[in-house]
Amino acid sequence: MKIAIGADHAGYRLKNEVVPFIKSLGHDIEDVGCDCEQSVDYPDYALPVAELVAQGKADRGILICGTGIGMSIAANKVRGIRCALVHDMFSAKATREHNDTNVLAMGERVIGPGVAQEIIRIWLETPFSNGERHVGRVGKVMKLEAQYADAAKSE
């Protein structure tokens, strides 16, 4: 898979630690930045990752900031993105099986590199269940997204 990855100043160290791990799993990486300690704005890195995934130029996306919260909020503003904030292995598996998430958000100030790598491995390896109830629920979420995007256009 092609994985788009981005981080702000509070997540770039963890990003730089997980990129070689993701490559070792056989995936290609598109790194949109950042690589600095100077304060930057997380939406500036969440947006390019989310757009790459939404446009089909990347199969999945990974975002890292201090907590993962800001990145997940920003990514979920992009139509077609289902971003989940994950800090444990159970949630990594469940969010793929049940929600068919295509972007993963994590917080460098919340978890360490070992946990992050295991979350990423599970999240990348877990398929969507395609269970009838999960397909229906994801469909409802996508319908809501379209409804509110269309309403915003008409304002």
Side-chain angles (χ1 to χ4, degrees), residues 44-118:
D44 296 340
Y45 299 93
L47 182 61
V49 168
E51 287 179 334
L52 285 167
V53 174
Q55 295 167 0
K57 295 177 182 176
D59 299 298
R60 304 245 189 106
I62 297 173
L63 296 167
I64 306 169
C65 64
T67 63
I69 296 168
M71 287 288 203
S72 64
I73 291 170
N76 279 315
K77 300 300 181 192
V78 176
R79 193 171 191 163
I81 294 304
R82 290 174 308 283
C83 178
L85 173 59
V86 174
H87 290 131
D88 64 89
M89 280 58 97
F90 175 81
S91 298
K93 185 175 174 77
T95 195
R96 282 290 309 133
E97 287 180 339
H98 298 189
N99 310 116
D100 196 20
T101 54
N102 51 13
V103 178
L104 171 69
M106 297 181 293
E108 178 177 314
R109 295 175 180 158
V110 180
I111 58 172
V115 172
Q117 289 176 359
E118 187 61 11

Side-chain angles (χ1 to χ4, degrees), residues 8-13 34-40 108-109:
D8 69 1
H9 61 283
Y12 88 94
R13 284 178 293 278
C34 91
D35 285 309
C36 66
E37 291 183 10
Q38 290 81 18
S39 182
V40 298
E108 178 177 314
R109 295 175 180 158

Side-chain angles (χ1 to χ4, degrees), residues 4 24-25 28 33-34 36 41 63 66 74 85 89 92 106 124 126-127 130 132 144 148 150:
S24 78
L25 296 175
D28 295 323
C34 91
C36 66
D41 297 329
L63 296 167
L85 173 59
M89 280 58 97
M106 297 181 293
L124 290 174
T126 302
N130 280 306
E132 185 177 338
L144 284 170
Y148 284 93
D150 293 342

